[in-house]
Amino acid sequence: MVNVASRHESTGMAGKIHCSCFLFGLLKHFSKSDTYEFKSRGLVDMKGKGEHYTYWLERATENNPWANEKALEELSGKVKEMIASKTWKMRKYFRKGHLIHDAASINGQSSATGSSGLNSAEDTNSRSDCSSRETLNSEEADGLSINSDDSDLEGDIEDDDSGPIIEFTEEQLLHFGKDWEELKWEHGLTQSGLANKIADVIISCLKSCIHKEGARMKIVEDQLRQYVVRIADMYQAENPYHNFHQAAQVFLRAVFLWESLSRDEDMRPIYGLGYDPWDRFVLLFSALVHNIYYDGVANSQLETENHLVYQLYKGKKSYQQRKSFATALEVLEEDFRDLHEEIAFGCPTFRSSVRKAILSTDIESEDKLHDLLRKCEEQNTKACIDEKAAKTKNESNVCLLLTMASLGHYSQGFDLFLSFNRLHFEEQTRAHKVGRGEDKRESWYYEQAMFFEDCILPLVKQVQLILPDVTYLDEGAMINVNLWKESGKEWLAASMLPGAKVQDFLGGQRSGDPMEKLISANVDILESLLREVMASHDGERRTGQLDHRPSNSISNPRDEIQLAIQMRKSLTNGLSAASTPELITEVKLELRDFVVTVAAGYESNRFHNFLHASQVAHLANLLVKGIHSTEESKDASDIAHDPLARFAIVLSALVHDVGHTGVPNSQLAEEQPELADKYKNKSIAEQNSID
């Protein structure tokens, strides 16, 4: 049944309800009245299931008391009224479940694992107290702010015999790069691979917090891994910047910053950051989930649109961050109960701490960031005399580290900064093009320069108070702000050229960059072949075989090629006698933009990548040149005397594997059945590259 439902989904269409003939029969023939309108779709070939006759469910009729137009209007009015009055919080299905445990089962687990010294009654009372505190956090969550001191922060921090700093193995630390400047995940990781690497790190972190073994711990580990995969799927992949890969980079920076804390216990203040291992877990968890709901536009745009998320959190700002927090915690509490129970029992302030950390990543309001910086400065310039004060201070510092991780690219290598900045700019520009935001193309350079001065430099200065041994943040930020002021305008202008979609990944067009050299080499080959096409065209035009049209009327390669197709195949003498013309500047620029776009379309596979395609194109060019130099036949249909054919061969070689995912067609057909259906299960990757 599940497979059939999956096939209906994969063969359906966006915005339509695809239903089986079985459902059609139930709703159409076994209802007392005609309550739904259907449209026959006909026989649909479903993979592994054969042909099924299906229908589109179009709409409800007026006879439908639950879904007719009037009923839907009434329901919409009730929902808006409920949101406005905030009474939805009191509805039973919005309340969070209590964390009440069976005393017998808890006692059994303690005996089995030997990890708890509590007896049954003490354990039950402790967890019941945890339940009430967690429920309090749930009900008061919307009333909290980053600067508020919550009553639930007064809880004692349990002693941790394992020590405040958790050592990761070399394998777990994974591809951190030589230093902060080059810190990024390895190339070619799929979303699934990235999620599993993140899960390895965060599971290790959780194990240092709860100290359990046996079957119970295995369940918790499995649920945490599944939770990370679920969160990865919830990110909106269509966002160029606010997507799972960006969140994974924030996670990586957060781990790196935490590892930069002083490892010398004598150098760390008592109760300082790192004293409670749960602080680290809160940081990494918040980094993972902080942007799972992001609609590709700023919070202010949601307010302008009177968006439903804005209505839900009206007057509280940070709408998308609040939605991300609520969604992440709802999934954790409802679908991963064992994991949530262990976290909530070990860290009663988990909910409020994560909420504050996630809200701190909303840097759209600079006042909010400056409030956090002022609070941290006040707390970090005086010593903590007890655990309560330390908890409040460390909670603020976790917010500070997460903010630094989310903006870390501003202090990393300039090429890395440009790559993320370009994606953010592209996301803003895309939103503007569909009427969802301002045009940032004219103001982006100045806004980024001001953001460096007003936000990044003060943020870096404050972070270095808790990371006194770190100098790379300040140095990197200063280098980047100066480079941006010097070359930001030129880079931005180049980025806005057609086809410069991911020019950032090509190293900022530096002449010494290997990718830039590769692109230039391909452009030179194609330019040379295109000039031969034009020379052939000019030779035929001089002999009267083509309409008289001045070559400077051709404005781009496509027009030139289309005109050259009109050539009658002959007159080799005309080709040899003709001088090779120069391409006009507009054609050269568009040809280069095309090659850049092709390069960006290649995945970072070990074999099927842009380097491999360039090698194929180079060999193809050598082959057609060899044919041209040795062919003695005067048959105009031969490649030797058809410059357009030679151009087409080399161009095809360059683009033949664009978008190749690195797997064979048989596996691609299993992973993406819609592509297999589209291309009749023949040469799927190659046909997709052509498209």
Side-chain angles (χ1 to χ4, degrees):
M1 198 67 184
V2 174
N3 287 338
V4 173
S6 175
R7 298 296 183 268
H8 276 77
E9 180 184 13
S10 62
T11 58
M13 294 176 61
K16 288 183 174 291
I17 303 175
H18 195 196
C19 63
S20 66
C21 57
F22 179 73
L23 179 61
F24 169 80
L26 287 176
L27 296 179
K28 191 74 173 177
H29 300 302
F30 294 94
S31 299
K32 294 182 179 180
S33 59
D34 190 17
T35 54
Y36 294 98
E37 289 184 12
F38 291 89
K39 181 179 179 181
S40 172
R41 188 184 184 186
L43 288 172
V44 177
D45 187 13
M46 297 186 179
K47 184 180 178 182
K49 301 296 178 182
E51 291 187 333
H52 283 236
Y53 202 91
T54 63
Y55 295 83
W56 298 122
L57 175 55
E58 296 285 289
R59 63 183 61 83
T61 67
E62 289 301 318
N63 297 327
N64 191 317
W66 306 283
N68 61 41
E69 186 175 350
K70 183 178 179 181
L72 291 177
E73 288 179 358
E74 291 178 357
L75 178 61
S76 176
K78 289 179 180 179
V79 170
K80 290 180 180 178
E81 181 181 351
M82 183 175 68
I83 291 175
S85 65
K86 300 181 181 179
T87 57
W88 61 274
K89 296 180 184 178
M90 306 306 296
R91 299 293 178 97
K92 181 179 179 181
Y93 40 81
F94 284 113
R95 296 181 184 178
K96 306 302 178 187
H98 291 275
L99 303 179
I100 300 177
H101 293 246
D102 184 348
S105 66
I106 295 175
N107 192 40
Q109 291 169 9
S110 300
S111 301
T113 61
S115 61
S116 174
L118 300 175
N119 60 31
S120 176
E122 290 173 340
D123 203 358
T124 304
N125 291 338
S126 174
R127 291 182 180 251
S128 298
D129 179 62
C130 168
S131 169
S132 62
R133 298 172 81 168
E134 184 70 3
T135 304
L136 175 64
N137 289 340
S138 173
E139 293 173 352
E140 293 185 348
D142 285 324
L144 299 174
S145 66
I146 290 180
N147 296 318
S148 65
D149 294 324
D150 305 294
S151 60
D152 58 280
L153 301 185
E154 298 176 4
D156 293 334
I157 304 174
E158 297 182 1
D159 292 335
D160 179 13
D161 296 334
S162 68
I165 296 295
I166 299 92
E167 296 283 345
F168 282 130
T169 65
E170 183 177 352
E171 181 180 358
Q172 288 169 330
L173 286 177
L174 304 170
H175 305 284
F176 276 3
K178 296 179 180 179
D179 50 33
W180 175 260
E181 180 182 359
E182 301 173 2
L183 182 66
K184 59 184 177 181
W185 292 101
E186 62 181 300
H187 288 297
L189 278 176
T190 63
Q191 177 176 300
S192 175
L194 197 54
N196 277 299
K197 288 182 180 291
I198 289 174
D200 290 339
V201 177
I202 201 168
I203 286 173
S204 175
C205 181
L206 182 62
K207 289 170 70 176
S208 70
C209 297
I210 60 180
H211 306 295
K212 287 190 177 181
E213 298 177 356
R216 175 68 174 177
M217 190 62 208
K218 183 63 168 62
I219 292 173
V220 171
E221 288 182 27
D222 289 344
Q223 287 195 3
L224 182 51
R225 186 174 298 278
Q226 293 167 18
Y227 180 76
V228 173
V229 173
R230 173 84 69 85
I231 290 298
D233 289 336
M234 294 175 69
Y235 273 88
Q236 299 192 42
E238 62 271 18
N239 290 337
Y241 180 68
H242 290 95
N243 52 40
F244 177 64
H245 286 276
Q246 190 265 349
Q249 189 68 18
V250 173
F251 180 93
L252 185 62
R253 296 188 199 119
V255 176
F256 190 92
L257 289 171
W258 188 274
E259 287 296 308
S260 300
L261 288 170
S262 175
R263 295 182 179 276
D264 186 349
E265 294 189 11
D266 294 333
M267 297 297 294
R268 275 200 319 272
I270 298 177
Y271 304 138
L273 194 60
Y275 170 78
D276 184 358
W278 282 106
D279 288 337
R280 181 183 208 173
F281 185 79
V282 167
L283 173 65
L284 300 188
F285 182 92
S286 302
L288 172 65
V289 306
H290 75 288
N291 264 333
I292 56 175
Y293 181 89
Y294 199 88
D295 203 29
V297 297
N299 284 314
S300 56
Q301 181 62 28
L302 297 187
E303 192 169 341
T304 301
E305 297 172 358
N306 198 29
H307 195 279
L308 183 61
V309 173
Y310 160 69
Q311 295 180 38
L312 189 61
Y313 301 106
K314 191 173 183 179
K316 297 179 181 177
K317 303 298 181 182
S318 305
Y319 313 117
Q320 296 178 106
Q321 287 75 18
R322 292 179 189 274
K323 179 63 175 174
S324 295
F325 163 75
T327 304
L329 267 291
E330 180 181 357
V331 171
L332 177 66
E333 294 166 2
E334 297 298 330
D335 298 342
F336 301 91
R337 293 181 179 274
D338 295 301
L339 172 62
H340 175 244
E341 288 174 3
E342 290 296 338
I343 294 174
F345 178 67
C347 182
T349 61
F350 176 76
R351 168 178 276 270
S352 65
S353 297
V354 169
R355 178 183 174 279
K356 291 179 182 181
I358 291 177
L359 291 185
S360 71
T361 62
D362 177 18
I363 46 83
E364 186 177 348
S365 171
E366 294 184 7
D367 292 340
K368 197 169 198 174
L369 176 60
H370 292 153
D371 287 343
L372 174 62
L373 296 181
R374 280 194 295 270
K375 182 179 181 181
C376 290
E377 184 176 13
E378 292 173 2
Q379 295 174 340
N380 289 326
T381 52
K382 57 184 179 182
C384 294
I385 58 175
D386 56 33
E387 292 187 41
K388 177 183 176 182
K391 183 64 179 176
T392 303
K393 173 181 175 180
N394 292 342
E395 195 174 52
S396 298
N397 284 333
V398 167
C399 295
L400 187 68
L401 287 180
L402 182 59
T403 304
M404 186 70 248
S406 68
L407 299 172
H409 57 286
Y410 282 89
S411 61
Q412 293 186 274
F414 191 60
D415 287 347
L416 203 56
F417 159 70
L418 288 180
S419 70
F420 284 101
N421 191 269
R422 181 67 185 87
L423 293 173
H424 196 188
F425 173 73
E426 182 182 334
E427 186 173 274
Q428 297 280 311
T429 304
R430 179 182 295 185
H432 165 69
K433 288 181 178 178
V434 295
R436 302 191 68 198
E438 300 176 357
D439 187 352
K440 296 287 187 178
R441 287 175 291 185
E442 295 296 328
S443 61
W444 189 259
Y445 167 78
Y446 300 101
E447 289 180 0
Q448 292 297 295
M450 292 177 62
F451 189 70
F452 264 114
E453 298 285 354
D454 297 342
C455 297
I456 297 301
L457 296 181
L459 173 63
V460 166
K461 179 182 177 181
Q462 195 55 236
V463 171
Q464 292 193 172
L465 288 178
I466 59 176
L467 301 176
D469 299 332
V470 169
T471 59
Y472 49 77
L473 296 177
D474 181 56
E475 293 172 357
M478 289 301 300
I479 291 172
N480 285 347
V481 67
N482 291 329
L483 287 175
W484 178 257
K485 289 179 178 179
E486 292 174 6
S487 59
K489 285 184 178 180
E490 291 76 11
W491 172 83
L492 193 61
S495 298
M496 288 189 288
L497 287 173
K501 183 178 180 181
V502 284
Q503 190 73 10
D504 51 301
F505 288 117
L506 308 182
Q509 292 192 7
R510 294 185 178 183
S511 58
D513 190 288
M515 180 65 81
E516 178 62 24
K517 290 181 178 179
L518 207 57
I519 289 173
S520 297
N522 283 297
V523 170
D524 290 343
I525 291 173
L526 293 176
E527 278 189 7
S528 175
L529 292 170
L530 193 55
R531 284 197 296 270
E532 290 184 14
V533 173
M534 292 179 63
S536 176
H537 160 232
D538 288 342
E540 294 198 359
R541 181 161 52 82
R542 282 194 298 272
T543 61
Q545 294 188 5
L546 287 176
D547 294 336
H548 292 278
R549 292 175 60 184
S551 60
N552 60 8
S553 68
I554 307 302
S555 61
N556 58 58
R558 183 182 60 188
D559 290 345
E560 178 61 51
I561 294 168
Q562 287 178 341
L563 184 59
I565 289 174
Q566 302 173 21
M567 293 188 304
R568 301 176 196 140
K569 312 294 185 180
S570 62
L571 292 177
T572 306
N573 293 335
L575 173 60
S576 59
S579 60
T580 304
E582 275 298 321
L583 301 178
I584 61 175
T585 303
E586 288 81 358
V587 173
K588 289 182 178 180
L589 287 175
E590 289 206 6
L591 185 60
R592 180 178 183 79
D593 290 340
F594 172 75
V595 176
V596 168
T597 305
V598 168
Y602 274 89
E603 302 291 341
S604 300
N605 303 315
R606 290 190 175 185
F607 181 73
H608 293 96
N609 52 38
F610 183 62
L611 175 61
H612 164 68
S614 300
Q615 292 170 338
V616 175
H618 178 66
L619 291 173
N621 184 49
L622 292 177
L623 288 172
V624 297
K625 277 188 175 181
I627 294 172
H628 182 47
S629 61
T630 61
E631 180 63 58
E632 298 178 355
S633 170
K634 302 300 181 180
D635 186 351
S637 64
D638 290 340
I639 293 176
H641 309 298
D642 189 349
L644 183 61
R646 297 197 296 275
F647 180 85
I649 289 172
V650 176
L651 185 66
S652 300
L654 184 64
V655 304
H656 77 285
D657 270 338
V658 169
H660 200 294
T661 58
V663 299
N665 282 321
S666 57
Q667 183 176 340
L668 187 62
E670 294 180 2
E671 295 176 354
Q672 300 187 45
E674 65 280 2
L675 283 182
D677 292 340
K678 181 178 180 181
Y679 301 119
K680 308 300 182 184
N681 210 18
K682 294 180 180 179
S683 304
I684 303 172
E686 291 73 19
Q687 292 199 68
N688 193 45
S689 296
I690 295 173
D691 289 348

